[in-house]
Amino acid sequence: MTAETKTVVLDIRGLNWATEKNLVEAVLGRRPGVVEVEANPVAQSANVVYDPGRTSIAELRDWVEECGLHCAGQSVPNHICDPMLDEGAPEQHGTPPEGASPHEVMGHGGHGAMSMDDMVKDMRNRFIVAAIFSVPILLWSPIGRDVLGFEVAAPFGLRDDVWMLLLSLPVIFYSSFIFFEGAFRALKAGTLDMMVLVAVAIGAGWLYSLGVTLTGGGEVFYEAATVLAAFVLLGHWFEMRARGGANDAIRSLLHLAPPKAIVLRDGEAVEVPTSEIVVGDLLLVRPGAKVPVDGVVEEGESEVDESMVTGESLPVSKRAVSEVIGATINRNGTLRVRATKVGADTALAQIVKLVQEAQNSKAPGQKLADRAAFWLVFVALLGGGATFLTWTLVGREATEALLFAITVVVYHLSRRVGPGDAHRHHGRHRARRQTRHSVQERARTRERRPNRYRRHGQDGNPHQGRTASRIYHDRWIR
């Protein structure tokens, strides 16, 4: 990042599929002032390097929402920082919006009003509906009749294809709706991703079967469309469940700072939201309370537990002119602290930003795979279309040609999932290494302060023999 550009981590909700990150990267990457974009569907965020002279966080948010996604601004603890505030701009303080959920206040709201747990449940429900209706569709299909020997007639005197059409409606219009919505957003943005492949495979088979059914009946592919949707949704559900566990460390960091603080104004103690604290405020920190922001002790003496930030298990003695870190715990004395760093300038906010930037960064191999993703999908669609035309031109029936075309698309669908997974896992390990190095530098800086352990009768660090990266690993990674 050069002196003319800045890096911001945007909170982006609604990335339902791993390859939808290409949608965000393609849309933002073409906007003026945007230098580089690295989206991470696991963390539901994106690193954006931009020129603050040509664009702003508000414009970045609007561009993300044009993709049909939800963006609240920066991915920061909202009870400490303003997510829409550009670095270097004057701090704008205020209380959270009325009616905001606890998740939104703490800076990790879901897709619109949906949290990650809600999204997992929604995906599970879509899969269950698809699986339940796919079973009878399969039984009344030619596979059920000819292979499984199912002989029960369709109810109400309906033809088998009409009965399968009725059973497929919940699968297509509820369970598979996310695929068609995602494909529409991708095509609107001028890119191709997994959603396009899935939507084409499911939609082509179902629409052709619908036409056959409405024109008198014949060979249909309802079972192929619904079973494919059920299997893709099953993998989708497992992926969503994995995402919830991948963000535990970030959630822990976001919860560290207290949402409220006690400020001394005109000699009276007033409880205010942490986001309303400004530099120079005098804070009252009672025993057992958390220090809301970074500051300097003006009066009082106590011991402060800094383990949640530095990994040091023993409390650190604090007295006048001692520096304190936001989100640390005051143990046994009352302190009056003058706020020196608030909002995005606090140590906690900087650590959160470091972790998120490292988590969203990509390995070179992953960047190459992302560039190839568009062409892989393009080749799959081109291959499917060429297959259909070829078999039609040689005199085969349209139903048979369509079956071969869908087979080609589905085969490429399975191939497309493979390469990116290994690169994503490599990227996660790389992110962890980068984050440990960042926290290690912070810990080394604090270790250079003299005599901070003298009260314990020690000559050195109580964690002597344990590196800062090992401390970070024990607390956040393991």
Side-chain angles (χ1 to χ4, degrees):
M1 186 180 68
T2 65
E4 293 78 16
T5 61
K6 293 181 180 180
T7 300
V8 63
V9 181
L10 294 181
D11 179 82
I12 301 176
R13 304 290 169 168
L15 292 172
N16 294 321
W17 196 266
T19 54
E20 280 194 309
K21 63 187 180 64
N22 298 332
L23 173 65
V24 176
E25 294 175 354
V27 171
L28 291 184
R30 293 193 292 260
R31 300 297 186 175
V34 177
V35 179
E36 184 180 1
V37 183
E38 292 180 333
N40 185 352
V42 175
Q44 298 279 285
S45 61
N47 290 351
V48 181
V49 181
Y50 71 101
D51 182 357
R54 302 180 61 191
T55 187
S56 64
I57 293 178
E59 289 182 324
L60 294 175
R61 181 195 63 179
D62 293 340
W63 292 334
V64 171
E65 293 186 344
E66 287 179 6
C67 303
L69 304 173
H70 175 74
C71 181
Q74 299 182 72
S75 181
V76 294
N78 290 4
H79 60 305
I80 299 178
C81 316
D82 182 358
M84 295 305 302
L85 185 67
D86 281 303
E87 259 184 61
E91 189 82 28
Q92 296 178 359
H93 301 280
T95 58
E98 185 176 353
S101 67
H103 290 284
E104 292 170 337
V105 172
M106 296 303 289
H108 49 86
H111 180 197
M114 294 179 68
S115 66
M116 180 60 72
D117 291 338
D118 293 333
M119 295 173 70
V120 172
K121 291 177 182 177
D122 177 69
M123 200 55 53
R124 178 200 61 191
N125 295 339
R126 292 178 187 273
F127 162 70
I128 291 176
V129 169
I132 290 175
F133 282 94
S134 293
V135 172
I137 292 174
L138 188 63
L139 291 177
W140 270 282
S141 70
I143 295 178
R145 297 295 194 191
D146 302 334
V147 178
L148 303 179
F150 186 75
E151 299 179 353
V152 178
F156 312 114
L158 299 173
R159 297 197 316 261
D160 286 353
D161 59 338
V162 176
W163 177 235
M164 287 189 292
L165 169 61
L166 296 177
L167 292 175
S168 68
L169 294 179
V171 180
I172 299 300
F173 291 100
Y174 171 65
S175 297
S176 303
F177 178 76
I178 58 170
F179 303 132
F180 302 119
E181 182 186 26
F184 175 77
R185 292 196 313 227
L187 294 176
K188 182 180 178 182
T191 186
L192 298 173
D193 60 11
M194 176 74 76
M195 290 296 192
V196 177
L197 272 183
V198 177
V200 168
I202 295 175
W206 189 82
L207 288 175
Y208 176 83
S209 301
L210 176 64
V212 171
T213 300
L214 296 179
T215 55
E219 188 174 5
V220 293
F221 304 104
Y222 293 117
E223 78 283 358
T226 56
V227 171
L228 175 61
F231 274 108
V232 176
L233 286 168
L234 177 61
H236 201 166
W237 176 31
F238 287 158
E239 181 187 20
M240 298 291 286
R241 290 180 60 185
R243 289 184 194 176
N247 291 323
D248 286 343
I250 296 293
R251 293 193 188 103
S252 299
L253 287 173
L254 292 171
H255 280 90
L256 282 179
K260 300 284 187 177
I262 298 178
V263 179
L264 295 175
R265 291 176 178 171
D266 298 328
E268 295 184 2
V270 181
E271 187 178 50
V272 299
T274 303
S275 60
E276 293 187 359
I277 298 175
V278 297
V279 174
D281 276 347
L282 185 61
L283 312 175
L284 179 64
V285 185
R286 296 190 174 106
K290 287 186 176 181
V291 179
V293 296
D294 298 357
V296 176
V297 177
E298 287 200 352
E299 183 180 339
E301 184 173 350
S302 181
E303 293 185 340
V304 176
D305 182 2
E306 297 182 341
S307 60
M308 66 287 300
V309 176
T310 65
E312 300 167 355
S313 60
L314 296 177
V316 181
S317 178
K318 299 293 182 180
R319 53 180 60 86
V321 307
S322 297
E323 295 182 357
V324 290
I325 305 173
T328 56
I329 301 175
N330 183 23
R331 295 290 295 271
N332 48 27
T334 300
L335 298 176
R336 296 195 177 195
V337 178
R338 184 71 64 179
T340 57
K341 293 181 180 179
V342 299
D345 296 328
T346 61
L348 175 62
Q350 292 297 318
I351 291 175
V352 170
K353 184 177 180 180
L354 286 172
V355 172
Q356 291 177 328
E357 287 183 1
Q359 189 180 39
N360 294 345
S361 62
K362 297 179 182 178
Q366 187 179 356
K367 293 182 179 180
L368 178 62
D370 291 340
R371 285 195 295 269
F374 175 90
W375 296 107
L376 288 174
V377 177
F378 179 78
V379 169
L381 297 176
L382 184 64
T387 300
F388 179 81
L389 292 176
T390 301
W391 284 103
T392 302
L393 292 176
V394 299
R396 294 298 186 95
E397 294 183 358
T399 56
E400 189 174 5
L402 180 62
L403 178 61
F404 292 147
I406 294 176
T407 301
V408 170
V409 174
V410 172
Y411 175 78
H412 280 82
L413 179 66
S414 64
R415 294 296 91 197
R416 174 65 186 89
V417 177
D421 292 337
H423 293 298
R424 281 194 293 272
H425 287 300
H426 175 73
R428 290 171 189 167
H429 290 297
R430 178 171 174 266
R432 290 175 177 177
R433 291 196 301 269
Q434 290 177 346
T435 308
R436 287 199 297 268
H437 293 163
S438 300
V439 177
Q440 183 177 2
E441 288 300 321
R442 185 179 295 276
R444 284 174 177 171
T445 300
R446 295 187 60 79
E447 287 171 6
R448 286 195 288 267
R449 296 178 182 175
N451 302 326
R452 65 180 304 179
Y453 302 102
R454 183 171 296 173
R455 74 193 189 289
H456 299 295
Q458 299 175 1
D459 295 328
N461 193 322
H463 286 287
Q464 187 174 2
R466 295 180 65 206
T467 64
S469 61
R470 182 72 256 174
I471 296 171
Y472 175 80
H473 181 277
D474 292 344
R475 291 196 57 79
W476 300 111
I477 302 301
R478 189 175 64 184

